[in-house]
Amino acid sequence: GEHVYVAAVYKGRVPGWATKDLRKFVSDLEATFGESFANWNGSPEDLHGVREFMQKFVARFRYHGT
């Protein structure tokens, strides 16, 4: 994304849809938190809601967006 990078670690053969889902997740992450990332000073307290947003990505087998 413009303000964020995401790395994913996957055990086994990576499914064909994984790249598309990861790109959609980064797009949604930027749309929701882009301004916060652009102005972030490194303090976790400044990124309210990011942890919960990330949980939506890792908790599902497929990511379908927000």
Side-chain angles (χ1 to χ4, degrees):
E2 185 176 339
H3 300 103
V4 66
Y5 294 99
V6 174
V9 177
Y10 189 86
K11 183 178 179 180
R13 185 170 178 231
V14 177
W17 47 261
T19 300
K20 184 181 121 211
D21 284 13
L22 191 55
R23 283 189 181 133
K24 174 66 175 147
F25 174 69
V26 170
S27 176
D28 289 348
L29 192 62
E30 284 277 357
T32 304
F33 298 102
E35 194 66 32
S36 296
F37 287 135
N39 299 311
W40 191 40
N41 67 6
S43 174
E45 292 82 29
D46 292 342
L47 296 176
H48 301 287
V50 170
R51 180 180 299 270
E52 293 80 9
F53 196 91
M54 298 282 290
Q55 287 297 324
K56 291 178 186 176
F57 179 72
V58 299
R60 298 180 185 167
F61 184 67
R62 292 286 314 267
Y63 180 74
H64 298 287
T66 56

